[in-house]
Amino acid sequence: MNTATVPTPTPSTAGARPAAALSLRGVTKTYGQLRALDELDLEIGNGEIVALLGPNGAGKSTAMEMMVGLAVPNSGEVTVLGADPVTATRTGLIGTMLQAGALLPDQSVRSMLRMLHALQAHPMPLDAAVEQADVADLLKRRIGTLSGGQAQRVRFAIALLGDPRVLLLDEPTVGMDIGTRRAFWDQMRTVAATGRTVVFATHHLDEAEREAGRVIVMDRGRVVADGTGPEISAIVGGRVITLRGAEPGQVAQLPGVESAAADETEPARVRALCSDSDAVLAALFTGPLAGSVHEVLVSAPGLEEAFLRITDHSDTDTDTDTDTDGADR
Ligand code: ADP
Ligand code: MG
C-alpha cells in the first residue's frame, strides 16, 4: 500500500492507526521445492521490541531479508513504515545487522564506518553511532583481526549509521561471550529507548524473554505463536522441576513426569517437565531416589519448554525431515 507522503486519516482508520513499522501480508518465498516463507502474516507496530524465535530453517533470516528488499517474495506484500523495503533501505528508514553481512577484512573499522557513513541519506553523527554501538576501542583495528563478538559490534554500528527508525538484528549476539552479550543488550536497550522499532532473531531464549515485549515463534515459514514471553510460556501447562543427584532416565520414570533431560546450562542438574508436580515431589522424597536427590526446585515452565513444545513435529512427522540443517543441536 502506498501511503507514502501525507498520512491523511481515512474513515477506515477510525482508531487513527499510523502505518505499521513492518507489515508482511501473505508473503510466500520458495527456493525450488522449498517454502522458506509460507503465506506469512506479520505486523509489528512502531516502537515495539520483538524477538523472532524458531528452529534453524524456520524462515527468520528470509523474513528479515524481505524487510530490507534483499529477497523478493513470490507473492504477498511487504511494507516498512508504509514504504516498500528497497526505498526504506535506501532512505535509511530501516537498518540491519544481517547474519551474512560481509565486512571488508583489510580495512580499519574507522575507514569502513566512514565510507558507509558517507553513503547514508540521513546519517546519524558518526560519533553517536560509535558510542551507541560501543566500538570506540575498535576503530583502529583491522576488520580481519576482530573476534566474532567484536565483528558483531561493528555490524551493530553499521546498522545504526543511517539513523534508522526500524532496526533488524539477525542473531546479533552470535560469537559473543556472556559478558559481551550483556553489554550488547545494555547498548541495544539505550538505542531502543529512543523510540525505534527493534526486531531481533535469536536462539537464546533468555534474551527473548528479557529483552522483548513481544515474542513471535516461527516454524516452517509461518508464525506459530505470538505473544508476550509469559503468554508464550503459558502455552505449556504444568510445572518444571529441576534437581541434582539423579539421572534424567531415573527422573523420567517417575509418575507425573512428562519428560526429563540434563539442563542445558548446568548439565549436572536434571530438568523435568511435569504434568503433576505434587505426584513427582511425593515420589522423589519417598521413593528410591529419596536419599540422593537434592536442590529440588519447582518453577513455571519457561520460554524454552514452550518453544520446544510449539515446534515439536514428532506427532506429525516421520522425524527425519526437520533437522537436516540443525547443526548446532
Ligand atoms: P532461519 O533464519 O530461521 O534459520 P532461513 O530463513 O535462513 O531460516 O531459511 C529458511 C529456509 O530457506 C531454509 O530451509 C533454508 O535452507 C532455505 N533458504 C534460505 N535462503 C536460501 C537460498 N538463498 N537458497 C536456497 N534455500 C534457501
Ligand atoms: Mg537465520
Side-chain angles (χ1 to χ4, degrees):
M1 205 177 293
N2 259 327
T3 49
T5 43
V6 190
T8 321
T10 62
S12 65
T13 57
R17 272 185 359 138
L22 291 162
S23 164
L24 283 78
R25 285 175 194 230
V27 172
T28 295
K29 176 69 183 177
T30 57
Y31 293 106
Q33 296 291 313
L34 185 112
R35 274 179 178 253
L37 298 180
D38 186 8
E39 304 260 324
L40 178 67
D41 287 311
L42 195 59
E43 184 153 316
I44 292 171
N46 271 299
E48 282 196 274
I49 299 184
V50 177
L52 270 188
L53 294 181
N56 282 328
K60 305 179 297 294
S61 294
T62 304
M64 289 192 168
E65 287 163 13
M66 296 269 157
M67 296 170 191
V68 291
L70 280 176
V72 179
N74 297 80
S75 57
E77 188 189 50
V78 183
T79 58
V80 179
L81 290 163
D84 75 88
V86 173
T87 306
T89 301
R90 204 180 318 117
T91 57
L93 279 178
I94 190 164
T96 49
M97 184 170 163
L98 290 180
Q99 251 178 332
L103 302 174
L104 302 167
D106 290 328
Q107 289 209 31
S108 73
V109 170
R110 187 197 305 274
S111 70
M112 192 183 63
L113 288 178
R114 278 199 181 138
M115 183 183 80
L116 295 172
H117 186 255
L119 297 175
Q120 303 299 323
H122 310 286
M124 79 161 60
L126 189 51
D127 289 349
V130 165
E131 195 205 316
Q132 289 185 32
D134 193 21
V135 293
D137 58 325
L138 302 176
L139 288 176
K140 290 185 182 146
R141 297 273 300 276
R142 251 175 17 97
I143 286 163
T145 68
L146 300 175
S147 72
Q150 290 169 335
Q152 288 298 86
R153 277 158 60 199
V154 172
R155 288 195 173 91
F156 186 44
I158 292 170
L160 292 174
L161 286 176
D163 199 10
R165 302 262 311 278
V166 181
L167 251 183
L168 302 183
L169 312 172
D170 198 354
E171 301 193 20
T173 57
V174 161
M176 293 183 185
D177 59 36
I178 283 222
T180 318
R181 271 173 62 188
R182 293 239 167 86
F184 174 83
W185 288 114
D186 286 345
Q187 299 293 130
M188 208 288 294
R189 251 175 260 128
T190 313
V191 169
T194 54
R196 292 181 171 88
T197 305
V198 179
V199 180
F200 65 94
T202 184
H203 282 289
H204 297 291
L205 303 160
D206 58 316
E207 291 183 346
E209 207 156 31
R210 200 176 51 237
E211 307 296 340
R214 178 177 169 198
V215 177
I216 295 174
V217 185
M218 283 182 68
D219 192 28
R220 300 176 170 190
R222 288 172 164 270
V223 172
V224 292
D226 184 348
T228 63
E231 279 166 0
I232 301 289
S233 303
I235 292 172
V236 182
R239 284 283 179 269
V240 170
I241 292 182
T242 70
L243 53 87
R244 286 170 168 277
E247 294 298 320
Q250 296 173 300
V251 177
Q253 308 281 315
L254 299 174
V257 173
E258 280 188 21
S259 62
D263 189 90
E264 259 191 15
T265 50
E266 203 190 330
R269 187 168 266 285
V270 177
R271 188 175 180 90
L273 188 57
C274 308
S275 54
D276 183 346
S277 55
D278 293 338
V280 178
L281 290 175
L284 275 175
F285 292 116
T286 58
L289 295 174
S292 58
V293 160
H294 56 284
E295 285 185 47
V296 178
L297 297 173
V298 182
S299 59
L303 214 39
E304 186 166 0
E305 278 79 17
F307 177 65
L308 290 174
R309 176 86 51 102
I310 292 164
T311 61
D312 178 10
H313 306 143
S314 56
D315 48 351
T316 55
D317 280 356
T318 50
D319 214 24
T320 46
D321 69 340
T322 47
D323 286 328
T324 47
D325 56 357
D328 60 350
R329 288 264 147 200

